Short mmCIF file of all heavy atoms in Angstrom, two decimals:
data_model
loop_
_atom_site.label_atom_id
_atom_site.label_comp_id
_atom_site.label_asym_id
_atom_site.label_seq_id
_atom_site.Cartn_x
_atom_site.Cartn_y
_atom_site.Cartn_z
N ILE H 1021 -1.12 0.34 25.95
CA ILE H 1021 -1.73 -0.82 26.60
C ILE H 1021 -2.07 -1.85 25.52
O ILE H 1021 -2.87 -1.57 24.62
CB ILE H 1021 -3.01 -0.42 27.37
CG1 ILE H 1021 -2.66 0.64 28.43
CG2 ILE H 1021 -3.66 -1.64 28.00
CD1 ILE H 1021 -3.87 1.24 29.15
N GLY H 1022 -1.46 -3.01 25.59
CA GLY H 1022 -1.68 -4.07 24.58
C GLY H 1022 -0.54 -4.06 23.59
O GLY H 1022 -0.35 -3.09 22.85
N LEU H 1023 0.24 -5.14 23.61
CA LEU H 1023 1.45 -5.17 22.76
C LEU H 1023 1.30 -6.19 21.63
O LEU H 1023 2.20 -7.01 21.39
CB LEU H 1023 2.68 -5.47 23.64
CG LEU H 1023 2.91 -4.45 24.76
CD1 LEU H 1023 3.98 -4.94 25.72
CD2 LEU H 1023 3.30 -3.08 24.18
N GLY H 1024 0.16 -6.14 20.94
CA GLY H 1024 0.00 -6.94 19.71
C GLY H 1024 0.81 -6.26 18.61
O GLY H 1024 1.67 -5.42 18.89
N ARG H 1025 0.52 -6.60 17.34
CA ARG H 1025 1.30 -5.99 16.25
C ARG H 1025 1.11 -4.47 16.22
O ARG H 1025 2.06 -3.72 16.05
CB ARG H 1025 0.88 -6.58 14.89
CG ARG H 1025 1.47 -7.95 14.64
CD ARG H 1025 0.71 -8.64 13.57
NE ARG H 1025 -0.70 -8.77 13.99
CZ ARG H 1025 -1.66 -9.29 13.27
NH1 ARG H 1025 -1.41 -9.72 12.05
NH2 ARG H 1025 -2.89 -9.38 13.72
N PHE H 1026 -0.13 -4.02 16.45
CA PHE H 1026 -0.43 -2.59 16.39
C PHE H 1026 0.22 -1.83 17.56
O PHE H 1026 1.01 -0.90 17.36
CB PHE H 1026 -1.95 -2.38 16.36
CG PHE H 1026 -2.37 -0.95 16.34
CD1 PHE H 1026 -2.15 -0.18 15.21
CD2 PHE H 1026 -2.99 -0.37 17.44
CE1 PHE H 1026 -2.54 1.16 15.19
CE2 PHE H 1026 -3.37 0.96 17.42
CZ PHE H 1026 -3.14 1.72 16.29
N GLY H 1027 -0.10 -2.27 18.77
CA GLY H 1027 0.46 -1.61 19.96
C GLY H 1027 1.98 -1.69 19.97
O GLY H 1027 2.67 -0.71 20.30
N ILE H 1044 2.44 -1.82 28.45
CA ILE H 1044 1.65 -2.63 29.41
C ILE H 1044 0.97 -3.78 28.67
O ILE H 1044 0.36 -3.58 27.61
CB ILE H 1044 0.54 -1.74 30.05
CG1 ILE H 1044 1.16 -0.53 30.76
CG2 ILE H 1044 -0.31 -2.57 31.02
CD1 ILE H 1044 0.14 0.56 31.13
N ASP H 1045 1.07 -4.98 29.25
CA ASP H 1045 0.33 -6.11 28.68
C ASP H 1045 0.13 -7.15 29.79
O ASP H 1045 0.92 -7.21 30.74
CB ASP H 1045 1.11 -6.74 27.51
CG ASP H 1045 0.20 -7.50 26.55
OD1 ASP H 1045 -0.39 -8.52 26.97
OD2 ASP H 1045 0.06 -7.08 25.39
N THR H 1046 -0.93 -7.94 29.65
CA THR H 1046 -1.15 -9.02 30.63
C THR H 1046 -0.22 -10.20 30.34
O THR H 1046 0.01 -11.03 31.21
CB THR H 1046 -2.61 -9.54 30.54
OG1 THR H 1046 -2.99 -9.60 29.18
CG2 THR H 1046 -3.57 -8.67 31.30
N ASN H 1047 0.28 -10.25 29.12
CA ASN H 1047 1.10 -11.38 28.68
C ASN H 1047 2.58 -11.12 28.97
O ASN H 1047 3.19 -10.21 28.42
CB ASN H 1047 0.83 -11.57 27.18
CG ASN H 1047 1.56 -12.73 26.59
OD1 ASN H 1047 2.74 -12.93 26.89
ND2 ASN H 1047 0.88 -13.48 25.77
N LYS H 1050 5.13 -11.06 26.04
CA LYS H 1050 5.10 -9.82 25.24
C LYS H 1050 5.81 -8.70 25.99
O LYS H 1050 6.54 -7.91 25.40
CB LYS H 1050 3.66 -9.42 24.92
CG LYS H 1050 3.00 -10.42 24.01
CD LYS H 1050 2.04 -9.77 23.07
CE LYS H 1050 1.56 -10.82 22.09
NZ LYS H 1050 0.18 -10.64 21.69
N ALA H 1064 0.58 -6.14 33.49
CA ALA H 1064 -0.54 -5.60 34.27
C ALA H 1064 -1.83 -5.74 33.48
O ALA H 1064 -1.81 -5.77 32.25
CB ALA H 1064 -0.30 -4.12 34.58
N ASP H 1065 -2.93 -5.85 34.24
CA ASP H 1065 -4.25 -5.93 33.61
C ASP H 1065 -4.88 -4.54 33.67
O ASP H 1065 -5.18 -4.03 34.76
CB ASP H 1065 -5.11 -6.95 34.36
CG ASP H 1065 -6.47 -7.14 33.71
OD1 ASP H 1065 -6.85 -6.31 32.85
OD2 ASP H 1065 -7.16 -8.11 34.05
N SER H 1066 -5.08 -3.95 32.49
CA SER H 1066 -5.56 -2.57 32.45
C SER H 1066 -7.02 -2.42 32.84
O SER H 1066 -7.52 -1.31 32.98
CB SER H 1066 -5.33 -1.98 31.05
OG SER H 1066 -6.07 -2.73 30.11
N THR H 1067 -7.72 -3.54 32.99
CA THR H 1067 -9.13 -3.43 33.41
C THR H 1067 -9.23 -3.32 34.94
O THR H 1067 -10.32 -3.19 35.47
CB THR H 1067 -9.97 -4.63 32.93
OG1 THR H 1067 -9.41 -5.81 33.50
CG2 THR H 1067 -10.01 -4.74 31.43
N ALA H 1086 -4.45 -0.43 22.75
CA ALA H 1086 -4.29 -1.25 21.54
C ALA H 1086 -4.71 -2.69 21.81
O ALA H 1086 -4.08 -3.63 21.34
CB ALA H 1086 -2.84 -1.17 21.06
N ILE H 1087 -5.78 -2.83 22.60
CA ILE H 1087 -6.33 -4.17 22.85
C ILE H 1087 -7.30 -4.44 21.72
O ILE H 1087 -8.23 -3.65 21.50
CB ILE H 1087 -7.07 -4.23 24.21
CG1 ILE H 1087 -6.12 -3.88 25.35
CG2 ILE H 1087 -7.72 -5.58 24.40
CD1 ILE H 1087 -6.82 -3.68 26.69
N GLY H 1088 -7.09 -5.52 20.99
CA GLY H 1088 -7.93 -5.74 19.81
C GLY H 1088 -9.11 -6.64 20.06
O GLY H 1088 -10.25 -6.17 20.21
N ASP H 1089 -8.84 -7.94 20.15
CA ASP H 1089 -9.92 -8.93 20.17
C ASP H 1089 -10.87 -8.79 21.35
O ASP H 1089 -12.07 -8.99 21.21
CB ASP H 1089 -9.32 -10.35 20.18
CG ASP H 1089 -8.65 -10.65 18.85
OD1 ASP H 1089 -8.92 -9.89 17.89
OD2 ASP H 1089 -7.86 -11.61 18.78
N ASN H 1090 -10.32 -8.47 22.50
CA ASN H 1090 -11.16 -8.42 23.69
C ASN H 1090 -11.82 -7.04 23.82
O ASN H 1090 -11.34 -6.15 24.51
CB ASN H 1090 -10.31 -8.75 24.93
CG ASN H 1090 -11.18 -9.04 26.13
OD1 ASN H 1090 -12.32 -8.60 26.19
ND2 ASN H 1090 -10.63 -9.79 27.07
N SER H 1093 -12.63 -5.69 27.32
CA SER H 1093 -11.46 -5.13 28.04
C SER H 1093 -11.09 -3.76 27.49
O SER H 1093 -10.71 -2.86 28.24
CB SER H 1093 -10.24 -6.04 27.89
OG SER H 1093 -10.45 -7.23 28.57
N LYS H 1112 -7.78 1.74 19.62
CA LYS H 1112 -7.97 0.98 18.38
C LYS H 1112 -9.34 0.29 18.43
O LYS H 1112 -9.64 -0.42 19.39
CB LYS H 1112 -6.87 -0.06 18.26
CG LYS H 1112 -7.09 -1.05 17.14
CD LYS H 1112 -6.02 -2.11 17.12
CE LYS H 1112 -6.55 -3.34 16.43
NZ LYS H 1112 -5.53 -4.31 16.10
N GLN H 1114 -12.19 -2.32 16.82
CA GLN H 1114 -12.20 -3.58 16.07
C GLN H 1114 -13.28 -3.55 14.98
O GLN H 1114 -13.14 -4.18 13.96
CB GLN H 1114 -12.49 -4.70 17.08
CG GLN H 1114 -12.14 -6.08 16.63
CD GLN H 1114 -10.64 -6.28 16.54
OE1 GLN H 1114 -9.85 -5.35 16.69
NE2 GLN H 1114 -10.23 -7.49 16.28
N GLU H 1134 -6.99 -1.46 10.40
CA GLU H 1134 -7.20 -2.44 9.31
C GLU H 1134 -8.10 -1.84 8.23
O GLU H 1134 -7.82 -1.94 7.05
CB GLU H 1134 -7.82 -3.74 9.83
CG GLU H 1134 -6.87 -4.63 10.60
CD GLU H 1134 -6.93 -4.35 12.10
OE1 GLU H 1134 -7.58 -3.36 12.51
OE2 GLU H 1134 -6.31 -5.12 12.86
P1 ATP E 1302 -2.81 -6.90 16.65
O1 ATP E 1302 -3.73 -7.05 15.49
O2 ATP E 1302 -2.35 -5.51 16.89
O3 ATP E 1302 -1.70 -7.91 16.72
P2 ATP E 1302 -4.93 -7.95 18.12
O4 ATP E 1302 -6.04 -7.22 17.44
O5 ATP E 1302 -4.75 -9.40 17.80
O6 ATP E 1302 -3.61 -7.18 17.93
P3 ATP E 1302 -5.06 -8.69 20.76
O7 ATP E 1302 -4.04 -9.76 20.55
O8 ATP E 1302 -6.43 -9.04 21.08
O9 ATP E 1302 -5.07 -7.69 19.60
O10 ATP E 1302 -4.56 -7.72 21.93
C1 ATP E 1302 -3.37 -7.06 21.86
C2 ATP E 1302 -2.66 -7.27 23.17
O11 ATP E 1302 -3.44 -6.75 24.23
C3 ATP E 1302 -2.34 -8.71 23.52
O12 ATP E 1302 -0.95 -8.86 23.65
C4 ATP E 1302 -3.07 -8.93 24.84
O13 ATP E 1302 -2.30 -9.73 25.72
C5 ATP E 1302 -3.20 -7.52 25.37
N1 ATP E 1302 -4.30 -7.37 26.32
C6 ATP E 1302 -5.56 -7.86 26.21
N2 ATP E 1302 -6.30 -7.51 27.27
C7 ATP E 1302 -5.49 -6.78 28.10
C8 ATP E 1302 -5.67 -6.13 29.35
N3 ATP E 1302 -6.84 -6.16 29.99
N4 ATP E 1302 -4.62 -5.46 29.88
C9 ATP E 1302 -3.44 -5.39 29.24
N5 ATP E 1302 -3.21 -6.00 28.07
C10 ATP E 1302 -4.21 -6.68 27.49
#
Side-chain angles (χ1 to χ4, degrees):
I1021 301 173
L1023 301 170
R1025 282 162 301 178
F1026 178 70
I1044 302 166
D1045 203 295
T1046 40
N1047 182 317
K1050 294 214 173 145
D1065 183 346
S1066 61
T1067 60
I1087 300 170
D1089 291 345
N1090 194 337
S1093 292
K1112 171 184 156 167
Q1114 198 70 352
E1134 286 93 351

